[in-house]
Amino acid sequence: MFDSGIGGLTVAAALRQLLPAEDIFYIGDTARVPYGGKSAATIERYSMEISGLLLAEEAKLIVVACNTASALAVPRLQETLRVPVLGVILPGARAAVKATRSRRVGVIGTRATIYSRAYERAIQDLDPEIQVLSQECPLLVPLIEEGWLDDPVSDQVIGRYLDQLVKDQIDTLVLGCTHYPLLRQSIKRFVGPQITLVDSADNCALAVKDLLRKQKLAAPKTNLGRLRVAVTDASTGFLHVAEKALGLQVGDVQLRTVQSGTPN
Amino acid sequence: MFDSGIGGLTVAAALRQLLPAEDIFYIGDTARVPYGGKSAATIERYSMEISGLLLAEEAKLIVVACNTASALAVPRLQETLRVPVLGVILPGARAAVKATRSRRVGVIGTRATIYSRAYERAIQDLDPEIQVLSQECPLLVPLIEEGWLDDPVSDQVIGRYLDQLVKDQIDTLVLGCTHYPLLRQSIKRFVGPQITLVDSADNCALAVKDLLRKQKLAAPKTNLGRLRVAVTDASTGFLHVAEKALGLQVGDVQLRTVQSGTPN
């Protein structure tokens, strides 16, 4: 699995819990993080390059644990790579469709994710009656990486971003970025108990389980799966925030160099 | 000149004003922005690669208009490249030494700039009696790129970061990141009139003028210099914030691909 950085460890945590027999190799493209403000062409190129590293590790399945890359690069990866590729958009969309009663769903994410309208399309493919209201939230990732997870400044930024969605009476909010679950408490405080928060992590793990079963790729149940983490830049300050908040045992982190060019 | 992104346009504006005869080619490495949280090895590699693009444009002089790259990559660039290289650290340090009366100077910057202690060393090389107090401010660049330049949230974040420096009775504060001049008003409000704010832009332009004269590289005075701007990623939302705040005519922006490998 890969992410633009370390935020995708929220998805790794869900996978570890549901599929303890599977070996997970996680790579965070910290040398080029963040993807969320960059163009579709750049995000697609980076996703192809990082996938090359995963193929070199003999991945049997690639999970794109980054909403931005899922929104913009998964179709290209699915077309090009020789292994199945799963993103986090469809699992998140399914969770939203299941949760909404009023059929008014809010989606928050990075600028690139929101501009792509990937959630909107995925949700409306599942139920064309659902109204999707979207809001880009560029400051949330930096606030989370600074570790201001339960902080009045984060509360105010969240209030600024979410105010209109609440006024528009959504009943379900998709946390459309793998970092955002780390701000769940603060978001919950602002939107109140009437709005259901959904994220992709658990649903993505279910989709992975399903696909491994269907394609007969699942590891033997007796296997003791492990999580290995690699990054493309050695500077991993945020890793400690993520480890602590997720209760995830990360251990030694490897450093990898990303190659320019496309895998096949 | 290059920067990790668009913040270095504050330096471009100063150069345009002081040296209107010079042609400036500015490239922002927006495909890999920000540099400020990344490791020294990555910042050095990116700086070498971007300098290769400038040499291909037949640059007679390279200005590193990015504090992070100046702090971590200028020595290597000076060693390796065949044209003179000027960073923004030494000009900023000179401005601070000139401004301080109490010899207590504060420096704010990205995490990588602050960890490098480049300002501390440059200031104390000029005057070993000066005490330098440093503070990393990772959220300021994202706030500026979001365009929250005169905003209560930015005021609070600035208060949080600068509180200790003010208590420690600095009389001069170095804005050690090319983005920060865009938050000058808000910073000024917090630190009050007793503390002098200095940035590298004007002093860097003076250093460029001096070097061009000494090395007989200055353009003829009758030349009508122009500013061309290129980026490595097409997504340039922040460009409009910078253009507006700086009153800079940027015109068409080119898209360039950065090559892996090192120039010489």
Side-chain angles (χ1 to χ4, degrees):
Chain A
M1 59 195 301
F2 76 87
D3 180 28
S4 58
I6 309 288
L9 286 173
T10 56
V11 180
L15 279 171
R16 288 292 293 150
Q17 196 156 23
L18 188 69
L19 299 166
E22 299 296 337
D23 283 326
I24 299 174
F25 182 74
Y26 177 103
I27 184 156
D29 193 8
T30 50
R32 305 188 292 196
V33 74
Y35 288 3
K38 288 162 192 167
S39 66
T42 295
I43 293 160
E44 199 175 86
R45 178 162 65 87
Y46 289 175
S47 300
M48 290 293 285
E49 291 168 3
I50 287 287
S51 295
L53 293 181
L54 295 175
L55 292 180
E57 290 289 326
E58 306 189 336
K60 61 183 176 186
L61 164 73
I62 290 179
V63 177
V64 184
C66 167
N67 282 266
T68 304
S70 294
L72 291 147
V74 159
R76 174 83 190 284
L77 296 176
Q78 286 176 332
E79 245 170 64
T80 320
L81 303 183
R82 58 176 186 261
V83 300
V85 176
L86 265 179
V88 289
I89 302 289
L90 191 56
R94 281 207 197 102
V97 171
K98 217 183 296 174
T100 186
R101 296 287 162 261
S102 70
R103 287 185 162 142
R104 292 178 76 79
V105 171
V107 176
I108 55 175
T110 65
R111 183 160 293 156
T113 297
I114 297 305
Y115 281 17
S116 77
R117 307 180 73 137
Y119 272 108
E120 204 170 327
R121 276 182 281 119
I123 290 170
Q124 292 182 338
D125 276 356
L126 295 167
D127 182 347
E129 302 287 300
I130 293 178
Q131 269 194 289
V132 179
L133 299 110
S134 301
Q135 173 65 48
E136 63 189 64
C137 301
L139 285 169
L140 297 192
V141 169
L143 282 165
I144 293 164
E145 300 214 332
E146 181 69 324
W148 294 11
L149 300 185
D150 194 20
D151 190 288
V153 168
S154 300
D155 286 351
Q156 281 171 71
V157 174
I158 285 167
R160 186 91 60 94
Y161 285 141
L162 299 190
D163 189 44
Q164 192 59 47
L165 294 180
V166 172
K167 282 187 183 138
D168 287 341
Q169 298 187 293
I170 58 167
D171 75 344
T172 300
L173 179 64
V174 178
L175 308 182
C177 171
T178 50
H179 277 74
Y180 296 174
L182 299 176
L183 278 178
R184 185 183 281 272
Q185 295 315 319
S186 181
I187 293 171
K188 195 79 209 167
R189 263 199 300 279
F190 182 77
V191 301
Q194 305 85 352
I195 294 179
T196 307
L197 303 185
V198 302
D199 68 73
S200 309
D202 290 335
N203 273 275
C204 180
L206 286 170
V208 169
K209 186 179 180 181
D210 201 42
L211 193 141
L212 290 176
R213 192 180 46 78
K214 274 187 194 151
Q215 305 218 0
K216 302 193 194 313
L217 288 170
K221 277 188 183 144
T222 52
N223 196 44
L224 266 180
R226 60 191 187 121
L227 169 65
R228 284 179 302 146
V229 175
V231 289
T232 58
D233 179 84
S235 197
T236 54
F238 172 59
L239 191 57
H240 306 295
V241 176
E243 258 186 305
K244 206 175 137 197
L246 297 172
L248 205 60
Q249 296 284 340
V250 165
D252 289 343
V253 174
Q254 302 173 40
L255 182 63
R256 294 295 176 98
T257 305
V258 64
Q259 305 294 330
S260 283
T262 52
N264 44 52
Chain B
M1 61 195 299
F2 77 88
D3 180 29
S4 58
I6 309 289
L9 286 173
T10 57
V11 180
L15 279 170
R16 288 292 295 148
Q17 197 158 21
L18 189 69
L19 300 166
E22 299 296 337
D23 285 326
I24 298 173
F25 182 74
Y26 177 104
I27 185 156
D29 193 7
T30 50
R32 305 187 292 196
V33 73
Y35 288 4
K38 288 163 190 164
S39 66
T42 295
I43 294 160
E44 199 176 86
R45 177 161 66 88
Y46 288 175
S47 300
M48 290 293 285
E49 290 169 3
I50 287 287
S51 295
L53 293 180
L54 295 175
L55 292 179
E57 290 289 328
E58 305 189 338
K60 62 184 176 186
L61 165 73
I62 291 178
V63 177
V64 183
C66 168
N67 282 265
T68 304
S70 294
L72 290 147
V74 160
R76 173 84 190 282
L77 296 175
Q78 286 176 332
E79 244 170 65
T80 321
L81 304 182
R82 58 176 185 261
V83 300
V85 177
L86 266 180
V88 289
I89 302 288
L90 192 55
R94 280 206 197 102
V97 171
K98 216 183 295 176
T100 186
R101 296 288 161 263
S102 70
R103 288 186 160 142
R104 292 177 76 80
V105 171
V107 176
I108 55 175
T110 64
R111 185 160 293 156
T113 298
I114 297 305
Y115 280 18
S116 77
R117 308 181 72 136
Y119 272 108
E120 204 170 328
R121 275 183 280 119
I123 290 170
Q124 292 183 337
D125 276 356
L126 295 166
D127 181 348
E129 301 289 300
I130 292 178
Q131 269 194 288
V132 179
L133 300 109
S134 300
Q135 174 66 47
E136 62 188 65
C137 302
L139 285 169
L140 297 191
V141 169
L143 282 165
I144 292 164
E145 302 213 331
E146 182 67 325
W148 295 11
L149 300 185
D150 195 18
D151 190 288
V153 169
S154 300
D155 285 351
Q156 280 170 71
V157 174
I158 285 167
R160 186 90 60 96
Y161 284 142
L162 299 190
D163 189 44
Q164 192 59 48
L165 294 180
V166 172
K167 281 186 184 142
D168 287 340
Q169 300 188 294
I170 58 166
D171 76 343
T172 301
L173 179 64
V174 179
L175 307 183
C177 171
T178 51
H179 277 73
Y180 296 173
L182 299 176
L183 278 178
R184 185 183 282 273
Q185 295 314 318
S186 180
I187 293 171
K188 195 79 209 168
R189 263 199 300 281
F190 182 78
V191 301
Q194 304 84 350
I195 294 179
T196 308
L197 303 185
V198 302
D199 68 74
S200 309
D202 291 334
N203 273 276
C204 180
L206 286 170
V208 170
K209 185 178 181 182
D210 200 43
L211 193 142
L212 291 176
R213 191 179 48 75
K214 273 187 192 152
Q215 304 218 2
K216 301 193 195 312
L217 288 170
K221 278 189 183 143
T222 53
N223 197 43
L224 268 180
R226 61 192 186 119
L227 170 65
R228 284 180 303 147
V229 175
V231 288
T232 57
D233 179 84
S235 197
T236 54
F238 172 60
L239 192 57
H240 306 294
V241 176
E243 259 187 303
K244 206 176 137 197
L246 297 172
L248 204 59
Q249 296 284 340
V250 165
D252 290 343
V253 174
Q254 303 173 37
L255 183 63
R256 296 294 175 96
T257 305
V258 65
Q259 305 294 330
S260 283
T262 52
N264 44 51

